[in-house]
mmCIF file of all heavy atoms in Angstrom:
data_model
loop_
_atom_site.group_PDB
_atom_site.id
_atom_site.type_symbol
_atom_site.label_atom_id
_atom_site.label_comp_id
_atom_site.label_asym_id
_atom_site.label_seq_id
_atom_site.Cartn_x
_atom_site.Cartn_y
_atom_site.Cartn_z
ATOM 1 N N THR A 933 10.425 12.847 -21.624
ATOM 2 C CA THR A 933 9.738 13.161 -22.885
ATOM 3 C C THR A 933 9.048 11.925 -23.435
ATOM 4 O O THR A 933 7.904 11.981 -23.886
ATOM 5 C CB THR A 933 10.756 13.666 -23.931
ATOM 6 O OG1 THR A 933 11.546 14.662 -23.311
ATOM 7 C CG2 THR A 933 10.063 14.238 -25.137
ATOM 8 N N LEU A 934 9.769 10.812 -23.383
ATOM 9 C CA LEU A 934 9.211 9.571 -23.917
ATOM 10 C C LEU A 934 7.905 9.214 -23.210
ATOM 11 O O LEU A 934 6.920 8.833 -23.831
ATOM 12 C CB LEU A 934 10.218 8.436 -23.729
ATOM 13 C CG LEU A 934 9.853 7.138 -24.425
ATOM 14 C CD1 LEU A 934 10.374 7.177 -25.847
ATOM 15 C CD2 LEU A 934 10.408 5.939 -23.706
ATOM 16 N N MET A 936 5.918 11.217 -21.398
ATOM 17 C CA MET A 936 4.855 12.216 -21.444
ATOM 18 C C MET A 936 4.372 12.528 -22.855
ATOM 19 O O MET A 936 3.249 12.967 -23.034
ATOM 20 C CB MET A 936 5.316 13.520 -20.780
ATOM 21 C CG MET A 936 5.586 13.404 -19.297
ATOM 22 S SD MET A 936 4.266 12.590 -18.373
ATOM 23 C CE MET A 936 2.928 13.758 -18.613
ATOM 24 N N ARG A 937 5.235 12.351 -23.848
ATOM 25 C CA ARG A 937 4.865 12.882 -25.159
ATOM 26 C C ARG A 937 4.969 11.901 -26.304
ATOM 27 O O ARG A 937 5.185 12.305 -27.428
ATOM 28 C CB ARG A 937 5.743 14.095 -25.471
ATOM 29 C CG ARG A 937 5.222 15.279 -24.723
ATOM 30 C CD ARG A 937 5.614 16.570 -25.370
ATOM 31 N NE ARG A 937 5.885 17.472 -24.302
ATOM 32 C CZ ARG A 937 7.084 17.876 -23.942
ATOM 33 N NH1 ARG A 937 8.111 17.563 -24.601
ATOM 34 N NH2 ARG A 937 7.267 18.645 -22.907
ATOM 35 N N THR A 938 4.845 10.618 -26.044
ATOM 36 C CA THR A 938 4.836 9.681 -27.165
ATOM 37 C C THR A 938 3.728 8.669 -26.969
ATOM 38 O O THR A 938 3.189 8.501 -25.882
ATOM 39 C CB THR A 938 6.162 8.904 -27.283
ATOM 40 O OG1 THR A 938 6.254 8.031 -26.155
ATOM 41 C CG2 THR A 938 7.355 9.827 -27.306
ATOM 42 N N ARG A 939 3.458 7.974 -28.074
ATOM 43 C CA ARG A 939 2.433 6.936 -28.059
ATOM 44 C C ARG A 939 2.783 5.866 -27.028
ATOM 45 O O ARG A 939 1.945 5.450 -26.230
ATOM 46 C CB ARG A 939 2.385 6.338 -29.463
ATOM 47 C CG ARG A 939 1.605 5.074 -29.602
ATOM 48 C CD ARG A 939 1.750 4.595 -31.053
ATOM 49 N NE ARG A 939 0.987 3.390 -31.287
ATOM 50 C CZ ARG A 939 1.503 2.172 -31.227
ATOM 51 N NH1 ARG A 939 2.769 2.005 -30.918
ATOM 52 N NH2 ARG A 939 0.758 1.117 -31.494
ATOM 53 N N ALA A 940 4.062 5.441 -27.033
ATOM 54 C CA ALA A 940 4.467 4.387 -26.097
ATOM 55 C C ALA A 940 4.313 4.856 -24.651
ATOM 56 O O ALA A 940 3.869 4.113 -23.783
ATOM 57 C CB ALA A 940 5.907 3.980 -26.377
ATOM 58 N N ARG A 942 2.253 7.157 -23.494
ATOM 59 C CA ARG A 942 0.842 7.219 -23.109
ATOM 60 C C ARG A 942 0.319 5.833 -22.785
ATOM 61 O O ARG A 942 -0.462 5.653 -21.838
ATOM 62 C CB ARG A 942 0.017 7.859 -24.234
ATOM 63 C CG ARG A 942 0.165 9.364 -24.311
ATOM 64 C CD ARG A 942 -0.808 9.964 -25.315
ATOM 65 N NE ARG A 942 -0.453 9.639 -26.688
ATOM 66 C CZ ARG A 942 0.398 10.349 -27.417
ATOM 67 N NH1 ARG A 942 0.975 11.417 -26.919
ATOM 68 N NH2 ARG A 942 0.674 9.992 -28.651
ATOM 69 N N ALA A 943 0.777 4.838 -23.562
ATOM 70 C CA ALA A 943 0.343 3.471 -23.275
ATOM 71 C C ALA A 943 0.837 3.047 -21.890
ATOM 72 O O ALA A 943 0.111 2.423 -21.125
ATOM 73 C CB ALA A 943 0.878 2.520 -24.346
ATOM 74 N N ARG A 945 1.473 4.981 -19.295
ATOM 75 C CA ARG A 945 0.692 5.658 -18.254
ATOM 76 C C ARG A 945 -0.704 5.056 -18.151
ATOM 77 O O ARG A 945 -1.256 4.913 -17.065
ATOM 78 C CB ARG A 945 0.620 7.156 -18.545
ATOM 79 C CG ARG A 945 1.946 7.860 -18.236
ATOM 80 C CD ARG A 945 1.836 9.350 -18.450
ATOM 81 N NE ARG A 945 1.810 9.703 -19.862
ATOM 82 C CZ ARG A 945 1.079 10.678 -20.383
ATOM 83 N NH1 ARG A 945 0.302 11.406 -19.609
ATOM 84 N NH2 ARG A 945 1.138 10.943 -21.662
ATOM 85 N N ALA A 946 -1.267 4.698 -19.313
ATOM 86 C CA ALA A 946 -2.606 4.118 -19.294
ATOM 87 C C ALA A 946 -2.601 2.784 -18.545
ATOM 88 O O ALA A 946 -3.473 2.521 -17.718
ATOM 89 C CB ALA A 946 -3.115 3.920 -20.724
ATOM 90 N N ALA A 949 -2.413 3.167 -14.866
ATOM 91 C CA ALA A 949 -3.666 3.602 -14.244
ATOM 92 C C ALA A 949 -4.699 2.479 -14.219
ATOM 93 O O ALA A 949 -5.383 2.293 -13.216
ATOM 94 C CB ALA A 949 -4.229 4.810 -14.985
ATOM 95 N N ASP A 950 -4.836 1.738 -15.287
ATOM 96 C CA ASP A 950 -5.896 0.739 -15.371
ATOM 97 C C ASP A 950 -5.572 -0.252 -16.491
ATOM 98 O O ASP A 950 -5.927 -0.036 -17.641
ATOM 99 C CB ASP A 950 -7.240 1.446 -15.650
ATOM 100 C CG ASP A 950 -8.418 0.491 -15.584
ATOM 101 O OD1 ASP A 950 -8.227 -0.728 -15.716
ATOM 102 O OD2 ASP A 950 -9.542 0.977 -15.409
ATOM 103 N N LYS A 952 -6.714 -3.100 -17.368
ATOM 104 C CA LYS A 952 -7.797 -3.733 -18.116
ATOM 105 C C LYS A 952 -8.385 -2.765 -19.138
ATOM 106 O O LYS A 952 -8.593 -3.123 -20.295
ATOM 107 C CB LYS A 952 -8.885 -4.215 -17.150
ATOM 108 C CG LYS A 952 -9.823 -5.209 -17.810
ATOM 109 C CD LYS A 952 -11.016 -5.508 -16.933
ATOM 110 C CE LYS A 952 -10.726 -6.641 -15.948
ATOM 111 N NZ LYS A 952 -11.916 -6.911 -15.101
ATOM 112 N N ALA A 953 -8.623 -1.528 -18.700
ATOM 113 C CA ALA A 953 -9.172 -0.546 -19.633
ATOM 114 C C ALA A 953 -8.179 -0.273 -20.763
ATOM 115 O O ALA A 953 -8.570 -0.074 -21.908
ATOM 116 C CB ALA A 953 -9.512 0.748 -18.901
ATOM 117 N N ALA A 954 -6.879 -0.282 -20.438
ATOM 118 C CA ALA A 954 -5.871 -0.058 -21.473
ATOM 119 C C ALA A 954 -5.913 -1.187 -22.492
ATOM 120 O O ALA A 954 -5.894 -0.965 -23.704
ATOM 121 C CB ALA A 954 -4.487 0.042 -20.842
ATOM 122 N N HIS A 955 -5.985 -2.404 -21.981
ATOM 123 C CA HIS A 955 -6.031 -3.569 -22.862
ATOM 124 C C HIS A 955 -7.241 -3.486 -23.795
ATOM 125 O O HIS A 955 -7.151 -3.741 -24.991
ATOM 126 C CB HIS A 955 -6.111 -4.824 -21.995
ATOM 127 C CG HIS A 955 -5.464 -6.021 -22.620
ATOM 128 N ND1 HIS A 955 -5.245 -7.183 -21.943
ATOM 129 C CD2 HIS A 955 -5.003 -6.238 -23.853
ATOM 130 C CE1 HIS A 955 -4.670 -8.052 -22.747
ATOM 131 N NE2 HIS A 955 -4.510 -7.504 -23.908
ATOM 132 N N LEU A 956 -8.381 -3.097 -23.227
ATOM 133 C CA LEU A 956 -9.606 -3.010 -24.017
ATOM 134 C C LEU A 956 -9.593 -1.826 -24.976
ATOM 135 O O LEU A 956 -10.391 -1.768 -25.898
ATOM 136 C CB LEU A 956 -10.822 -2.922 -23.092
ATOM 137 C CG LEU A 956 -11.193 -4.249 -22.431
ATOM 138 C CD1 LEU A 956 -12.054 -4.023 -21.221
ATOM 139 C CD2 LEU A 956 -11.906 -5.160 -23.427
ATOM 140 N N SER A 957 -8.692 -0.871 -24.745
ATOM 141 C CA SER A 957 -8.557 0.231 -25.699
ATOM 142 C C SER A 957 -7.615 -0.153 -26.837
ATOM 143 O O SER A 957 -7.286 0.676 -27.671
ATOM 144 C CB SER A 957 -8.015 1.483 -25.014
ATOM 145 O OG SER A 957 -8.874 1.890 -23.989
ATOM 146 N N GLY A 958 -7.151 -1.391 -26.836
ATOM 147 C CA GLY A 958 -6.336 -1.854 -27.951
ATOM 148 C C GLY A 958 -4.840 -1.821 -27.691
ATOM 149 O O GLY A 958 -4.042 -2.029 -28.603
ATOM 150 N N ILE A 959 -4.431 -1.560 -26.452
ATOM 151 C CA ILE A 959 -3.002 -1.497 -26.139
ATOM 152 C C ILE A 959 -2.513 -2.906 -25.782
ATOM 153 O O ILE A 959 -3.116 -3.569 -24.942
ATOM 154 C CB ILE A 959 -2.764 -0.521 -24.967
ATOM 155 C CG1 ILE A 959 -3.155 0.890 -25.403
ATOM 156 C CG2 ILE A 959 -1.329 -0.575 -24.489
ATOM 157 C CD1 ILE A 959 -3.224 1.892 -24.264
ATOM 158 N N GLU A 960 -1.432 -3.347 -26.438
ATOM 159 C CA GLU A 960 -0.885 -4.670 -26.107
ATOM 160 C C GLU A 960 -0.099 -4.536 -24.821
ATOM 161 O O GLU A 960 1.059 -4.111 -24.819
ATOM 162 C CB GLU A 960 0.036 -5.203 -27.207
ATOM 163 C CG GLU A 960 -0.594 -5.352 -28.572
ATOM 164 C CD GLU A 960 -0.473 -4.074 -29.379
ATOM 165 O OE1 GLU A 960 -0.104 -3.035 -28.784
ATOM 166 O OE2 GLU A 960 -0.753 -4.112 -30.577
ATOM 167 N N VAL A 1065 0.216 14.988 -10.301
ATOM 168 C CA VAL A 1065 -0.633 14.736 -11.448
ATOM 169 C C VAL A 1065 -0.030 13.646 -12.321
ATOM 170 O O VAL A 1065 -0.718 12.822 -12.877
ATOM 171 C CB VAL A 1065 -0.809 16.033 -12.260
ATOM 172 C CG1 VAL A 1065 -1.621 15.762 -13.505
ATOM 173 C CG2 VAL A 1065 -1.479 17.087 -11.403
ATOM 174 N N ARG A 1067 1.568 10.376 -12.807
ATOM 175 C CA ARG A 1067 1.898 9.090 -12.217
ATOM 176 C C ARG A 1067 2.036 8.096 -13.329
ATOM 177 O O ARG A 1067 1.376 8.181 -14.333
ATOM 178 C CB ARG A 1067 0.771 8.629 -11.303
ATOM 179 C CG ARG A 1067 1.027 8.839 -9.861
ATOM 180 C CD ARG A 1067 -0.109 8.253 -9.080
ATOM 181 N NE ARG A 1067 0.203 6.900 -8.666
ATOM 182 C CZ ARG A 1067 0.979 6.619 -7.645
ATOM 183 N NH1 ARG A 1067 1.554 7.565 -6.972
ATOM 184 N NH2 ARG A 1067 1.212 5.373 -7.291
ATOM 185 N N THR B 1020 -15.928 -8.873 -25.475
ATOM 186 C CA THR B 1020 -14.732 -8.039 -25.627
ATOM 187 C C THR B 1020 -13.464 -8.732 -25.143
ATOM 188 O O THR B 1020 -12.389 -8.147 -25.188
ATOM 189 C CB THR B 1020 -14.886 -6.702 -24.869
ATOM 190 O OG1 THR B 1020 -15.298 -6.979 -23.524
ATOM 191 C CG2 THR B 1020 -15.911 -5.825 -25.537
ATOM 192 N N VAL B 1022 -12.695 -9.932 -22.059
ATOM 193 C CA VAL B 1022 -12.303 -9.835 -20.652
ATOM 194 C C VAL B 1022 -12.448 -11.209 -19.987
ATOM 195 O O VAL B 1022 -11.589 -11.648 -19.236
ATOM 196 C CB VAL B 1022 -13.168 -8.798 -19.903
ATOM 197 C CG1 VAL B 1022 -12.795 -8.750 -18.432
ATOM 198 C CG2 VAL B 1022 -13.010 -7.426 -20.540
ATOM 199 N N PRO B 1042 -7.909 -9.082 -25.349
ATOM 200 C CA PRO B 1042 -8.772 -7.907 -25.569
ATOM 201 C C PRO B 1042 -8.180 -6.894 -26.546
ATOM 202 O O PRO B 1042 -8.927 -6.286 -27.316
ATOM 203 C CB PRO B 1042 -8.890 -7.295 -24.174
ATOM 204 C CG PRO B 1042 -8.663 -8.418 -23.235
ATOM 205 C CD PRO B 1042 -7.724 -9.364 -23.918
ATOM 206 N N SER B 1043 -6.846 -6.736 -26.549
ATOM 207 C CA SER B 1043 -6.268 -5.722 -27.435
ATOM 208 C C SER B 1043 -6.450 -6.117 -28.900
ATOM 209 O O SER B 1043 -6.697 -5.277 -29.757
ATOM 210 C CB SER B 1043 -4.790 -5.515 -27.121
ATOM 211 O OG SER B 1043 -4.094 -6.727 -27.198
ATOM 212 N N ALA B 1046 -10.058 -5.501 -29.803
ATOM 213 C CA ALA B 1046 -10.230 -4.068 -30.050
ATOM 214 C C ALA B 1046 -9.743 -3.733 -31.451
ATOM 215 O O ALA B 1046 -10.364 -2.950 -32.166
ATOM 216 C CB ALA B 1046 -9.462 -3.268 -28.999
ATOM 217 N N PHE B 1054 -17.619 1.637 -20.174
ATOM 218 C CA PHE B 1054 -17.866 0.817 -18.998
ATOM 219 C C PHE B 1054 -19.015 1.368 -18.169
ATOM 220 O O PHE B 1054 -19.295 2.570 -18.169
ATOM 221 C CB PHE B 1054 -16.609 0.755 -18.132
ATOM 222 C CG PHE B 1054 -15.445 0.137 -18.844
ATOM 223 C CD1 PHE B 1054 -14.617 0.909 -19.652
ATOM 224 C CD2 PHE B 1054 -15.183 -1.219 -18.727
ATOM 225 C CE1 PHE B 1054 -13.555 0.339 -20.332
ATOM 226 C CE2 PHE B 1054 -14.123 -1.791 -19.407
ATOM 227 C CZ PHE B 1054 -13.306 -1.012 -20.205
ATOM 228 N N ARG B 1058 -14.129 3.952 -16.633
ATOM 229 C CA ARG B 1058 -12.747 3.528 -16.403
ATOM 230 C C ARG B 1058 -11.826 4.380 -17.243
ATOM 231 O O ARG B 1058 -11.270 3.936 -18.237
ATOM 232 C CB ARG B 1058 -12.597 2.053 -16.745
ATOM 233 C CG ARG B 1058 -13.370 1.202 -15.784
ATOM 234 C CD ARG B 1058 -13.107 -0.224 -15.988
ATOM 235 N NE ARG B 1058 -11.864 -0.646 -15.381
ATOM 236 C CZ ARG B 1058 -11.657 -1.908 -15.034
ATOM 237 N NH1 ARG B 1058 -12.571 -2.811 -15.222
ATOM 238 N NH2 ARG B 1058 -10.511 -2.252 -14.502
ATOM 239 N N PHE B 1060 -8.321 6.947 -17.401
ATOM 240 C CA PHE B 1060 -7.000 7.003 -16.781
ATOM 241 C C PHE B 1060 -6.941 8.357 -16.072
ATOM 242 O O PHE B 1060 -6.663 9.376 -16.702
ATOM 243 C CB PHE B 1060 -5.915 6.863 -17.842
ATOM 244 C CG PHE B 1060 -6.156 5.684 -18.764
ATOM 245 C CD1 PHE B 1060 -6.284 5.866 -20.127
ATOM 246 C CD2 PHE B 1060 -6.294 4.408 -18.249
ATOM 247 C CE1 PHE B 1060 -6.525 4.791 -20.975
ATOM 248 C CE2 PHE B 1060 -6.540 3.321 -19.085
ATOM 249 C CZ PHE B 1060 -6.655 3.521 -20.455
ATOM 250 N N ALA B 1062 -5.160 10.266 -14.061
ATOM 251 C CA ALA B 1062 -4.083 11.262 -14.003
ATOM 252 C C ALA B 1062 -3.753 11.830 -15.383
ATOM 253 O O ALA B 1062 -3.087 12.840 -15.503
ATOM 254 C CB ALA B 1062 -2.837 10.657 -13.378
ATOM 255 N N MET B 1063 -4.235 11.161 -16.432
ATOM 256 C CA MET B 1063 -3.914 11.628 -17.780
ATOM 257 C C MET B 1063 -4.941 12.660 -18.233
ATOM 258 O O MET B 1063 -6.099 12.612 -17.843
ATOM 259 C CB MET B 1063 -3.892 10.440 -18.753
ATOM 260 C CG MET B 1063 -2.742 9.491 -18.489
ATOM 261 S SD MET B 1063 -2.910 7.912 -19.345
ATOM 262 C CE MET B 1063 -2.649 8.378 -21.054
ATOM 263 N N ASP B 1067 -5.168 12.974 -23.727
ATOM 264 C CA ASP B 1067 -4.309 11.787 -23.702
ATOM 265 C C ASP B 1067 -5.122 10.513 -23.491
ATOM 266 O O ASP B 1067 -4.766 9.445 -23.995
ATOM 267 C CB ASP B 1067 -3.229 11.914 -22.625
ATOM 268 C CG ASP B 1067 -2.020 12.712 -23.119
ATOM 269 O OD1 ASP B 1067 -2.047 13.151 -24.284
ATOM 270 O OD2 ASP B 1067 -1.057 12.889 -22.346
ATOM 271 N N ARG B 1070 -6.249 9.701 -26.834
ATOM 272 C CA ARG B 1070 -5.136 9.208 -27.643
ATOM 273 C C ARG B 1070 -4.814 7.755 -27.315
ATOM 274 O O ARG B 1070 -4.247 7.037 -28.149
ATOM 275 C CB ARG B 1070 -3.904 10.074 -27.431
ATOM 276 C CG ARG B 1070 -4.015 11.419 -28.153
ATOM 277 C CD ARG B 1070 -3.060 12.378 -27.561
ATOM 278 N NE ARG B 1070 -2.059 12.836 -28.515
ATOM 279 C CZ ARG B 1070 -1.019 13.601 -28.158
ATOM 280 N NH1 ARG B 1070 -0.852 13.936 -26.893
ATOM 281 N NH2 ARG B 1070 -0.148 13.999 -29.046
ATOM 282 N N ALA B 1071 -5.153 7.307 -26.114
ATOM 283 C CA ALA B 1071 -4.986 5.882 -25.809
ATOM 284 C C ALA B 1071 -5.900 5.065 -26.723
ATOM 285 O O ALA B 1071 -5.541 3.985 -27.175
ATOM 286 C CB ALA B 1071 -5.294 5.596 -24.343
ATOM 287 N N HIS B 1074 -4.361 4.455 -29.992
ATOM 288 C CA HIS B 1074 -3.099 3.727 -29.908
ATOM 289 C C HIS B 1074 -2.793 2.901 -31.155
ATOM 290 O O HIS B 1074 -1.705 2.975 -31.721
ATOM 291 C CB HIS B 1074 -3.128 2.812 -28.681
ATOM 292 C CG HIS B 1074 -1.847 2.098 -28.432
ATOM 293 N ND1 HIS B 1074 -0.770 2.699 -27.822
ATOM 294 C CD2 HIS B 1074 -1.461 0.840 -28.718
ATOM 295 C CE1 HIS B 1074 0.212 1.838 -27.743
ATOM 296 N NE2 HIS B 1074 -0.163 0.699 -28.268
ATOM 297 N N ARG B 1075 -3.766 2.109 -31.586
ATOM 298 C CA ARG B 1075 -3.492 1.202 -32.701
ATOM 299 C C ARG B 1075 -3.398 1.931 -34.027
ATOM 300 O O ARG B 1075 -2.823 1.407 -34.982
ATOM 301 C CB ARG B 1075 -4.569 0.127 -32.783
ATOM 302 C CG ARG B 1075 -4.640 -0.730 -31.549
ATOM 303 C CD ARG B 1075 -5.599 -1.877 -31.746
ATOM 304 N NE ARG B 1075 -4.986 -2.982 -32.446
ATOM 305 C CZ ARG B 1075 -4.354 -3.974 -31.838
ATOM 306 N NH1 ARG B 1075 -4.243 -3.990 -30.549
ATOM 307 N NH2 ARG B 1075 -3.821 -4.948 -32.535
ATOM 308 N N THR B 1077 -1.965 4.873 -34.375
ATOM 309 C CA THR B 1077 -0.773 5.710 -34.404
ATOM 310 C C THR B 1077 0.450 4.818 -34.543
ATOM 311 O O THR B 1077 0.527 3.771 -33.924
ATOM 312 C CB THR B 1077 -0.654 6.507 -33.085
ATOM 313 O OG1 THR B 1077 -1.944 7.003 -32.744
ATOM 314 C CG2 THR B 1077 0.316 7.658 -33.219
ATOM 315 N N ARG B 1078 1.389 5.268 -35.369
ATOM 316 C CA ARG B 1078 2.635 4.516 -35.511
ATOM 317 C C ARG B 1078 3.801 5.449 -35.235
ATOM 318 O O ARG B 1078 3.887 6.513 -35.811
ATOM 319 C CB ARG B 1078 2.778 3.942 -36.926
ATOM 320 C CG ARG B 1078 1.904 2.737 -37.182
ATOM 321 C CD ARG B 1078 2.547 1.460 -36.621
ATOM 322 N NE ARG B 1078 1.554 0.416 -36.454
ATOM 323 C CZ ARG B 1078 0.955 0.114 -35.300
ATOM 324 N NH1 ARG B 1078 1.249 0.784 -34.211
ATOM 325 N NH2 ARG B 1078 0.071 -0.839 -35.226
ATOM 326 N N GLN B 1079 4.667 5.051 -34.325
ATOM 327 C CA GLN B 1079 5.854 5.859 -34.070
ATOM 328 C C GLN B 1079 7.045 4.931 -33.922
ATOM 329 O O GLN B 1079 7.070 4.083 -33.040
ATOM 330 C CB GLN B 1079 5.680 6.672 -32.782
ATOM 331 C CG GLN B 1079 4.774 7.867 -32.943
ATOM 332 C CD GLN B 1079 4.571 8.616 -31.644
ATOM 333 O OE1 GLN B 1079 5.136 8.268 -30.621
ATOM 334 N NE2 GLN B 1079 3.759 9.654 -31.686
ATOM 335 N N VAL B 1084 11.218 8.879 -32.614
ATOM 336 C CA VAL B 1084 10.953 9.467 -31.304
ATOM 337 C C VAL B 1084 12.245 10.024 -30.702
ATOM 338 O O VAL B 1084 12.304 11.167 -30.252
ATOM 339 C CB VAL B 1084 10.340 8.410 -30.369
ATOM 340 C CG1 VAL B 1084 10.303 8.939 -28.944
ATOM 341 C CG2 VAL B 1084 8.941 8.043 -30.828
ATOM 342 N N TYR B 1091 7.965 12.122 -36.451
ATOM 343 C CA TYR B 1091 7.454 11.959 -35.092
ATOM 344 C C TYR B 1091 6.560 13.133 -34.726
ATOM 345 O O TYR B 1091 5.469 12.969 -34.198
ATOM 346 C CB TYR B 1091 8.617 11.829 -34.105
ATOM 347 C CG TYR B 1091 8.255 12.225 -32.695
ATOM 348 C CD1 TYR B 1091 7.485 11.381 -31.894
ATOM 349 C CD2 TYR B 1091 8.656 13.449 -32.161
ATOM 350 C CE1 TYR B 1091 7.132 11.749 -30.609
ATOM 351 C CE2 TYR B 1091 8.306 13.821 -30.878
ATOM 352 C CZ TYR B 1091 7.539 12.976 -30.105
ATOM 353 O OH TYR B 1091 7.189 13.348 -28.848
ATOM 354 N N GLU B 1095 2.571 13.104 -33.709
ATOM 355 C CA GLU B 1095 2.046 13.633 -32.444
ATOM 356 C C GLU B 1095 0.961 14.673 -32.700
ATOM 357 O O GLU B 1095 -0.065 14.692 -32.044
ATOM 358 C CB GLU B 1095 3.180 14.296 -31.638
ATOM 359 C CG GLU B 1095 4.009 13.336 -30.826
ATOM 360 C CD GLU B 1095 3.206 12.640 -29.727
ATOM 361 O OE1 GLU B 1095 2.987 13.243 -28.669
ATOM 362 O OE2 GLU B 1095 2.802 11.497 -29.933
ATOM 363 N N SER B 1098 -2.226 13.002 -33.979
ATOM 364 C CA SER B 1098 -3.005 12.269 -32.972
ATOM 365 C C SER B 1098 -3.682 13.261 -32.034
ATOM 366 O O SER B 1098 -4.790 13.027 -31.566
ATOM 367 C CB SER B 1098 -2.132 11.260 -32.219
ATOM 368 O OG SER B 1098 -1.450 11.858 -31.152
ATOM 369 N N ARG B 1134 -12.936 8.246 -26.314
ATOM 370 C CA ARG B 1134 -11.857 7.254 -26.369
ATOM 371 C C ARG B 1134 -12.299 6.035 -27.168
ATOM 372 O O ARG B 1134 -11.537 5.503 -27.979
ATOM 373 C CB ARG B 1134 -11.458 6.838 -24.950
ATOM 374 C CG ARG B 1134 -10.309 5.854 -24.921
ATOM 375 C CD ARG B 1134 -9.878 5.517 -23.500
ATOM 376 N NE ARG B 1134 -10.881 4.701 -22.817
ATOM 377 C CZ ARG B 1134 -10.832 4.435 -21.502
ATOM 378 N NH1 ARG B 1134 -9.860 4.925 -20.756
ATOM 379 N NH2 ARG B 1134 -11.759 3.686 -20.956
#
Side-chain angles (χ1 to χ4, degrees):
Chain A
T933 311
L934 189 87
M936 295 311 296
R937 282 204 217 107
T938 68
R939 168 183 182 264
R942 284 187 290 273
R945 285 183 286 143
D950 187 339
K952 196 189 273 180
H955 210 170
L956 285 161
S957 300
I959 295 169
E960 301 89 348
V1065 176
R1067 259 184 94 79
Chain B
T1020 51
V1022 177
S1043 56
F1054 299 86
R1058 293 187 80 156
F1060 310 121
M1063 292 166 70
D1067 277 0
R1070 285 161 118 187
H1074 185 80
R1075 299 187 82 90
T1077 317
R1078 284 279 161 261
Q1079 284 177 2
V1084 170
Y1091 156 75
E1095 277 296 280
S1098 84
R1134 182 177 71 190

